[in-house]
Amino acid sequence: MSESQPKAQFIRPKNLMVTISGIRGVPGRNLTPPTITRYVWAYAKVIDRPNKKIIVGRDSRITGPYVKDLVVSTLIAAGCEVIDCDIISTPGVQIQVQQHNAGGGIVITSSHNPKNMNGLKFIGSDGLFLDPQLCTRLYDMAENHLDEVVNDEDNVMGTYTRQPAADITHRTLINELPFIDRDMIRAKNFKVAIDTANGAGGPIYKMMLHNFNCEVKSINFEPNGEFAHNPEPTPAHLTDLCELVKAEGCDVGFAADPDVDRCVVVDETGVCVMEEYTLALALKLMITNGYDKPFVKNMSSSGITNVLCEKAGITVHESPVGEIQVAKKMEAVGSWFGGEGNGGVMARDLHIGRDAPLALSMVLMLMTLEDKPLSSIIAEMPVANMDKQKVNVNDPTETMEKFEALVESGHFENCQVIGGDGIKLIFPEKSFWVHVRKSNTEPIVRVIGEIVSMPNDPVEETQATLQREMKSFVELVSEL
């Protein structure tokens, strides 16, 4: 490029989500071939290291093959040794990065977002998502300095290798965990229902369950990307799984999001358990096995884990929302177990990432040790009276700036203020907390509130208080 020629300016496509969770958009609209190749090329250069191996995997979205071809071609052009696992879970890619001692990995997924969307999750050489600082470098290079970055040598091309059946490694490592006894679970002969929403989770879920000698009843199993329902695994979207559990007399049901890092449970009565309980059930298993190191969760996760930890004498640490934020906090405080209340369980013995097959295995192990129905186990636990609201606003950043200014002005009294990821307000006199933050994955503001109660506390009074408090905050945020 001559000095007289102006440098081409890249303009980020409208509504392309670029966050610490990666990039997400609609293929052909804002997730275009030039956009994909630009961010992938920048990724290859930002994480550049002597080991050029990069693991690539995808969920089952119908646009996955097209996006994967662009990702793979760009990485090869950047001199990388690409190992293609094709359809595989996000935790599966993270594990493969560790197993191959690779330079990093890219997962082609839009997680729980609708099927018309897709995206890229970027993984570092440690098997973790890129931290916020490295994300900033990646995005700055992709959007402002890409023309300055070329290969060190001319015509240095990478290589391409396929690795089918990579899920087998995932299964093997879970079997070897110190708190999972495969033979004990196998002796229970559980009957299990699954709904993986036609995402990437069907094969690994079924593999794990057959490994545990379970009889499997499945719906929406085929990983074809034609999501049979809203792919976010929450109770409102899992009514068919609940009916399957009841109709087949199953001991438990499990759901997953399309890239299989979140697990939600249905008890034997056909009741879909709030996603917050997945982490709490896994924590209960860890405590049963003598776990006494720090526990880490994000700021939006339920306080029922706080109650469990307090009884066990375990220190609780909170991080900003996002898997990498929890992972970095776990490393910083010496934690070996943590997660997020959206159904994401993270165990350092396996890898520090959310892992739905791990969560499934831990719930089955807990049921085996307790030797009682899942509904009975949950009935003995603290109660998460929780409300999660999404508020559509014109400009989430501006809305959060106004809310933070309101907090700083002293508008809210008798509360503890915690920053770092939006604002969390704790009202001890009401036993209520609320977390207001801009989403990392959707153009909205999230308002999450909770009152933790015990099994024998009056439900109606607690729910009325929660609804009143949440209504006040949602209306306030909507009006900012």
Side-chain angles (χ1 to χ4, degrees):
M1 182 182 295
S2 68
E3 293 183 5
S4 61
Q5 290 179 312
K7 181 179 177 180
Q9 182 181 11
F10 173 75
I11 299 175
R12 182 184 292 179
K14 184 179 180 181
N15 296 328
L16 181 72
M17 290 184 283
V18 181
T19 71
I20 61 169
S21 298
I23 67 172
R24 302 185 190 190
V26 179
R29 184 182 303 168
N30 50 21
L31 194 68
T32 59
T35 299
I36 293 167
T37 55
R38 177 172 285 268
Y39 283 96
V40 173
W41 183 271
Y43 167 79
K45 297 306 175 182
V46 163
I47 68 159
D48 200 14
R49 55 174 285 185
N51 185 342
K52 299 283 188 179
K53 288 181 183 177
I54 301 294
I55 311 298
V56 174
R58 67 180 181 93
D59 70 16
S60 64
R61 292 168 192 272
I62 56 177
T63 57
Y66 136 68
V67 177
K68 189 185 77 171
D69 286 347
L70 290 166
V71 170
V72 169
S73 298
T74 304
L75 290 172
I76 292 174
C80 298
E81 302 171 25
V82 177
I83 299 175
D84 177 12
C85 297
D86 201 41
I87 295 180
I88 189 174
S89 67
T90 288
V93 173
Q94 293 173 304
I95 287 171
Q96 289 300 317
V97 169
Q98 294 176 335
Q99 292 292 302
H100 286 275
N101 190 30
I106 295 179
V107 188
I108 300 156
T109 180
S110 192
S111 191
H112 64 277
N113 295 127
K115 67 180 181 180
N116 68 317
M117 297 183 66
N118 215 325
L120 307 174
K121 289 184 175 182
F122 301 107
I123 299 169
S125 60
D126 54 4
L128 306 181
F129 292 139
L130 302 188
D131 63 39
Q133 292 74 28
L134 202 51
C135 277
T136 298
R137 282 183 55 202
L138 165 60
Y139 300 150
D140 179 58
M141 180 178 290
E143 297 172 8
N144 300 310
H145 303 289
L146 202 64
D147 294 335
E148 306 166 16
V149 183
V150 296
N151 282 345
D152 295 330
E153 302 177 32
D154 292 336
N155 301 318
V156 176
M157 301 297 287
T159 60
Y160 175 82
T161 305
R162 291 201 62 191
Q163 180 169 329
D167 281 334
I168 294 175
T169 304
H170 199 168
R171 178 193 66 187
T172 300
L173 292 176
I174 289 176
N175 282 338
E176 294 173 352
L177 291 170
F179 46 83
I180 298 295
D181 189 320
R182 176 174 176 266
D183 292 336
M184 283 186 67
I185 298 175
R186 286 180 64 84
K188 298 296 290 185
N189 301 114
F190 288 122
K191 181 186 286 190
V192 180
I194 58 172
D195 178 356
T196 50
N198 303 112
I204 182 64
Y205 261 25
K206 194 163 275 191
M207 181 187 295
M208 290 305 309
L209 291 170
H210 287 160
N211 165 69
F212 291 133
N213 194 37
C214 297
E215 180 181 349
V216 181
K217 303 294 181 180
S218 62
I219 54 174
N220 310 321
F221 162 79
E222 292 297 332
N224 56 26
E226 295 290 352
F227 302 154
H229 53 74
N230 186 313
E232 184 165 20
T234 57
H237 307 146
L238 298 174
T239 53
D240 289 344
L241 177 60
C242 295
E243 290 301 320
L244 179 64
V245 169
K246 289 190 292 185
E248 296 290 345
C250 295
D251 298 294
V252 63
F254 294 102
D257 64 336
D259 69 327
V260 212
D261 58 1
R262 295 167 56 185
C263 174
V264 174
V265 183
V266 175
D267 73 20
E268 80 287 352
T269 71
V271 172
C272 186
V273 181
M274 178 188 285
E275 62 272 19
E276 297 286 339
Y277 282 90
T278 303
L279 181 57
L281 289 166
L283 174 61
K284 183 176 175 64
L285 173 66
M286 295 297 286
I287 293 172
T288 301
N289 278 272
Y291 181 79
D292 59 0
K293 293 180 175 65
F295 169 75
V296 177
K297 64 182 180 111
N298 72 37
M299 293 167 62
S300 286
S301 296
S302 172
I304 57 178
T305 51
N306 294 62
V307 177
L308 294 175
C309 285
E310 183 178 358
K311 289 182 178 179
I314 294 172
T315 303
V316 178
H317 296 268
E318 293 193 351
S319 77
V321 174
E323 178 179 317
I324 183 59
Q325 305 281 21
V326 177
K328 289 299 183 182
K329 177 66 78 170
M330 288 175 67
E331 288 184 329
V333 302
S335 170
W336 283 76
F337 188 73
E340 298 193 281
N342 57 9
V345 172
M346 302 164 66
R348 202 166 181 172
D349 286 298
L350 181 61
H351 69 109
I352 314 181
R354 297 183 313 198
D355 193 313
L358 168 67
L360 174 152
S361 305
M362 294 184 76
V363 171
L364 288 177
M365 190 69 230
L366 179 64
M367 292 172 60
T368 299
L369 292 176
E370 295 279 332
D371 195 28
K372 63 178 70 170
L374 182 59
S375 62
S376 298
I377 298 173
I378 293 172
E380 298 171 352
M381 300 179 72
V383 180
N385 304 285
M386 203 169 194
D387 191 7
K388 302 181 180 183
Q389 298 282 345
K390 300 179 180 180
V391 182
N392 293 306
V393 296
N394 292 328
D395 187 337
T397 300
E398 181 182 352
T399 298
M400 285 307 305
E401 289 173 351
K402 290 179 178 179
F403 183 76
E404 289 167 9
L406 199 63
V407 172
E408 291 174 2
S409 72
H411 180 81
F412 303 102
E413 299 178 346
N414 302 318
C415 66
Q416 178 186 357
V417 179
I418 302 175
D421 182 14
I423 297 289
K424 184 172 183 177
L425 304 175
I426 302 174
F427 298 86
E429 293 181 1
K430 303 174 183 178
S431 299
F432 169 73
W433 64 261
V434 63
H435 189 195
V436 181
R437 59 179 291 272
K438 184 175 70 171
S439 172
N440 288 332
T441 58
E442 299 176 66
I444 58 171
V445 171
R446 297 186 187 275
V447 181
I448 300 175
E450 181 185 41
I451 299 174
V452 175
S453 61
M454 301 309 292
N456 295 324
D457 291 347
V459 177
E460 294 81 5
E461 181 180 338
T462 302
Q463 287 291 334
T465 302
L466 177 65
Q467 291 174 11
R468 183 174 61 252
E469 296 293 339
M470 284 296 293
K471 182 174 183 292
S472 171
F473 275 96
V474 168
E475 289 179 349
L476 176 62
V477 170
S478 301
E479 294 168 359
L480 290 175

